[in-house]
Amino acid sequence: MRKPTIQDVARRAGVGVGTVSRVLNNHTAVKGATRETVLKAIADLDYTPNPHARRIAGGKSYTISVLLPVVTTEFYVRLLDGLETAFQEARYDVAIFPLLDRSRLERYLGSHTLAYQADGLVMATYNLTALLSERRVRAQQPTVLVDAFATNVDCAYMDNVTGGRLAGEYAATLPGELYAIWVETELDQLFTTRVFEERRSGFLGALGAAGRTLRAEFTASFDALAARNAAVTLLDGAQLPCTVFASADLLAGALLDEARLRGLTPGQDVRVIGFDDQPWAAARGLTTLHQPVEQMGYEAAHLLLSRLGGFRGPPRARRFEPRLIVRDTA
């Protein structure tokens, strides 16, 4: 049997081919009843659009490029899930470009690279304020920042200062010495993020307002081995009982592992507050700051889709706020 065509769908639904096309492209200029009729015809015929024909007819690639630091952490897996859900609903493909280091970021800043051949561009986490003002980020196609803030481009971002403040306000109520572990992100001045700097600012500000101070601070790169080494160093010199703000759940998990290895009881000997609320956090009883990561990605995608749909207004910013989830570890 031959595959059904868009003409077959139109005949079955009793509408024109153009109407079917508008339904397939989620166009708003289709009445609800007509849309349902067309969708039923598509389902009845088991019709699958030809993506190549769609690209040729529309003069678009129907692809979105996503540039992000890495793809191996749970945060970025969740972020991509939110982005891809929205783009797939609009029938766009996603091309992922993990940059990993400065040399790749420099290379992708060139407009000839594959990333810039897509219809739109998503850039995740980078502090691109200087690059945008210097016009080093090409703007031939619509661009949106996610997990980062800028005034001259659409963005969806997490309020990390507020998240740090919430952690600090709660930590200040707990007895014992206070410690913190931060993530080292200053690889260089171009390839950087302000996420952990903002969390630290909010946390220290809250401690200061409560008349509390940190006994010591530690820094680790964002990988499991470095996180475990930081946990070892902290616990070797800690005055127990104590409270530790681990500025990412990856760090908090390593601290819980090391504490249990030493026979310490989390929540009593060492209280641990994380940041992220990763999928495993509830099972481990981790007190942490929940981030609506998937929603942030979904909203960033819709900002970009609206630009692709013709929106020409000023840059928009969508702010997301973490919330404290209190569990057994603190």
Side-chain angles (χ1 to χ4, degrees):
M1 293 179 63
R2 69 179 181 84
K3 293 181 62 176
T5 66
I6 192 171
Q7 289 82 6
D8 296 329
V9 174
R11 280 192 294 269
R12 189 176 186 93
V15 299
V17 170
T19 299
V20 177
S21 178
R22 285 189 286 274
V23 171
L24 289 171
N25 288 289
N26 294 318
H27 201 286
T28 57
V30 181
K31 293 180 180 179
T34 302
R35 185 183 301 275
E36 291 302 318
T37 300
V38 172
L39 291 174
K40 185 177 185 304
I42 290 171
D44 291 344
L45 293 172
D46 195 22
Y47 169 70
T48 302
N50 183 331
H52 303 295
R54 181 181 181 230
R55 290 182 173 100
I56 293 170
K60 297 181 178 181
S61 70
Y62 288 95
T63 301
I64 303 297
S65 292
V66 179
L67 277 64
L68 72 174
V70 294
V71 293
T72 54
T73 69
E74 289 161 304
F75 176 87
Y76 289 112
V77 170
R78 293 173 60 195
L79 185 64
L80 284 170
D81 183 57
L83 289 166
E84 289 188 313
T85 296
F87 288 133
Q88 287 172 3
E89 288 173 356
R91 298 178 60 239
Y92 277 82
D93 294 324
V94 174
I96 300 169
F97 296 84
L99 299 186
L100 304 178
D101 58 30
R102 173 176 177 159
S103 63
R104 287 196 180 192
L105 179 57
E106 289 278 15
R107 188 163 75 248
Y108 285 126
L109 289 175
S111 61
H112 63 281
T113 58
L114 183 62
Y116 285 93
Q117 296 177 28
D119 296 330
L121 185 66
V122 177
M123 303 192 77
T125 303
Y126 302 106
N127 179 18
L128 297 174
T129 304
L131 298 180
L132 289 164
S133 64
E134 294 167 7
R135 300 189 181 279
R136 294 192 60 198
V137 175
R138 306 295 190 263
Q140 287 95 332
Q141 77 274 73
T143 299
V144 66
L145 299 187
V146 61
D147 192 38
F149 174 79
T151 58
N152 51 351
V153 66
D154 289 336
C155 61
Y157 69 99
M158 200 70 62
D159 188 341
N160 284 288
V161 174
T162 293
R165 176 178 58 78
L166 292 172
E169 288 173 348
Y170 186 61
T173 67
L174 302 174
E177 297 290 346
L178 297 174
Y179 299 86
I181 311 176
W182 311 108
V183 174
E184 174 59 59
T185 55
E186 291 290 340
L187 302 180
D188 52 54
Q189 289 301 307
L190 182 61
F191 191 80
T192 186
T193 170
R194 296 191 59 193
V195 166
F196 296 98
E197 174 188 331
E198 291 169 353
R199 291 179 190 177
R200 183 175 184 273
S201 172
F203 184 76
L204 295 181
L207 291 190
R212 300 288 303 274
T213 58
L214 282 175
R215 184 177 179 88
E217 300 177 78
F218 302 85
T219 303
S221 57
F222 203 63
D223 65 81
L225 179 59
R228 190 59 177 265
N229 288 338
V232 168
T233 303
L234 186 156
L235 290 175
D236 280 347
Q239 181 175 321
L240 303 178
C242 68
T243 297
V244 182
F245 175 45
S247 60
D249 282 355
L250 173 73
L251 306 177
L255 187 59
L256 292 177
D257 290 338
E258 183 62 25
R260 290 194 169 104
L261 184 66
R262 296 174 182 229
L264 302 176
T265 302
Q268 296 180 22
D269 302 313
V270 55
R271 297 177 184 87
V272 181
I273 303 170
F275 201 117
D276 285 330
D277 198 22
Q278 298 293 8
W280 51 264
R284 300 199 66 177
L286 177 63
T287 292
T288 188
L289 276 298
H290 173 79
Q291 294 195 95
V293 178
E294 293 85 354
Q295 295 94 315
M296 181 174 65
Y298 191 86
E299 180 62 24
H302 274 280
L303 288 173
L304 185 57
L305 289 169
S306 70
R307 291 286 178 187
L308 294 172
F311 179 76
R312 294 292 181 267
R316 300 154 295 171
R318 299 289 185 264
R319 172 182 169 274
F320 291 82
E321 187 171 303
R323 71 178 191 275
L324 179 68
I325 306 294
V326 176
R327 300 190 180 107
D328 294 342
T329 64

